[in-house]
Amino acid sequence: MARPEQVLLLEPQHELKFRGPFSDVVTTNLKLSNPTDRNVCFKVKTTAPRRYCVRPNSGIIDAGTSINVSVMLQPFDYDPNEKSKHKFMVQSMIAPPDKTDIEVVWKEARPDELMDSKLRCVFDMPVENEKMHDMESNKMMSSSLLKSESSLPAKALSSTLDDGEVKKIMEECKRLQMEAQRLREENKQIREDDGLRMRKSNVISSQHPSVIMKKDEGLSARTVALLVLFFVVGVIVGKLAL
């Protein structure tokens, strides 16, 4: 059974246009007008509910009045090559005069009482913003390309070079490795020599006090012996003089 013709007037009728940039929430308005002499229930549905916020998304439009529905597109990474497949549907029905619970009305509605209109979403990116987006995309692509090139293995990198260049690079690597080994050995030898000199200096410094003490002891013994000798000689000379 064919559905009845939509009684609501939609503005716009076929497309919901969203103008970028899309780094923030973008809002467009959908006007629903009721030209009839009866109240009309309505619902706004979308194929991408997580991408849009609709306020109000349902309600009743009194006879001869209209309502503005705000459709808010959430921020996302815009791709000009990707065509939007998002669609909206405005579903409506004549409100029964004796019903107040809208949810019950929708549940009890017969298919021949429902009317609907479909709209598709169109994303419009200004030229200057699209250029900026392209520049940012090119920067991201170039940076990712540099990272991927820097992470290539040596074999993959050598395949892009001539054999002569590869040979020079390998020889330079060997020379640098030998130079690093030589520096490590010299550093080790220097540490060993410094340790030996420190041990010798400690031994010599520990021996110096005992030598000085022995020299002092030798000098004091000689002095005492000379004094004793002079005393004995003095005693003998004194006796001879008497």
Side-chain angles (χ1 to χ4, degrees):
M1 181 181 295
R3 293 193 178 218
E5 187 178 354
Q6 177 69 269
V7 296
L8 295 178
L9 299 178
L10 280 64
E11 186 181 345
Q13 295 182 356
H14 305 293
E15 294 180 345
L16 288 176
K17 291 186 178 181
F18 298 90
R19 185 175 178 82
F22 302 103
S23 56
D24 202 353
V25 176
V26 180
T27 303
T28 189
N29 292 319
L30 173 63
K31 185 177 180 181
L32 303 178
S33 301
N34 179 10
T36 69
D37 56 355
R38 302 179 62 181
N39 296 343
V40 176
C41 302
F42 77 94
K43 273 186 177 182
V44 181
K45 300 179 180 180
T46 177
T47 57
R50 294 185 179 181
R51 298 287 293 274
Y52 299 90
C53 182
V54 182
R55 293 290 183 273
N57 59 1
S58 63
I60 298 177
I61 305 175
D62 294 335
T65 63
S66 61
I67 188 172
N68 286 322
V69 177
S70 296
V71 182
M72 292 163 278
L73 172 63
Q74 303 305 303
F76 73 104
D77 293 330
Y78 172 70
D79 185 358
N81 299 321
E82 181 182 355
K83 294 183 179 179
S84 174
K85 298 180 181 179
H86 302 166
K87 291 182 175 63
F88 275 82
M89 182 176 70
V90 178
Q91 199 171 42
S92 64
M93 62 178 294
I94 301 298
D98 56 344
K99 297 287 185 179
T100 57
D101 192 340
I102 299 178
E103 293 298 326
V104 174
V105 171
W106 284 109
K107 288 181 180 179
E108 295 179 352
R110 300 190 309 271
D112 58 346
E113 294 177 332
L114 300 177
M115 300 166 282
D116 59 60
S117 300
K118 295 180 180 178
L119 302 93
R120 68 187 187 93
C121 298
V122 177
F123 299 148
D124 182 19
M125 174 70 85
V127 177
E128 58 273 13
N129 289 327
E130 190 166 353
K131 288 181 179 179
M132 291 292 294
H133 182 271
D134 291 341
M135 291 175 63
E136 292 178 358
S137 300
N138 291 334
K139 286 182 181 179
M140 292 176 64
M141 289 178 64
S142 60
S143 61
S144 61
L145 182 60
L146 287 174
K147 288 181 180 179
S148 62
E149 287 181 352
S150 62
S151 61
L152 285 174
K155 290 182 179 179
L157 183 61
S158 63
S159 62
T160 62
L161 302 174
D162 296 336
D163 292 340
E165 294 178 352
V166 173
K167 186 176 181 181
K168 288 180 181 179
I169 293 173
M170 296 299 292
E171 290 178 353
E172 182 67 17
C173 290
K174 288 182 180 180
R175 188 186 67 79
L176 292 175
Q177 289 176 355
M178 293 176 65
E179 182 69 18
Q181 181 65 24
R182 185 182 64 81
L183 291 174
R184 284 196 295 268
E185 291 178 355
E186 289 184 357
N187 189 25
K188 182 179 179 181
Q189 186 63 36
I190 289 172
R191 288 200 300 267
E192 291 179 355
D193 293 343
D194 290 342
L196 183 60
R197 282 197 296 270
M198 290 179 64
R199 287 195 296 271
K200 287 183 178 180
S201 61
N202 291 334
V203 171
I204 293 172
S205 60
S206 62
Q207 289 178 351
H208 280 172
S210 61
V211 173
I212 293 171
M213 289 178 63
K214 288 181 180 180
K215 286 184 178 180
D216 292 340
E217 291 175 357
L219 289 174
S220 59
R222 290 178 183 178
T223 303
V224 172
L226 287 174
L227 289 175
V228 172
L229 179 61
F230 288 153
F231 177 75
V232 172
V233 171
V235 171
I236 294 172
V237 172
K239 287 183 178 181
L240 291 175
L242 294 174

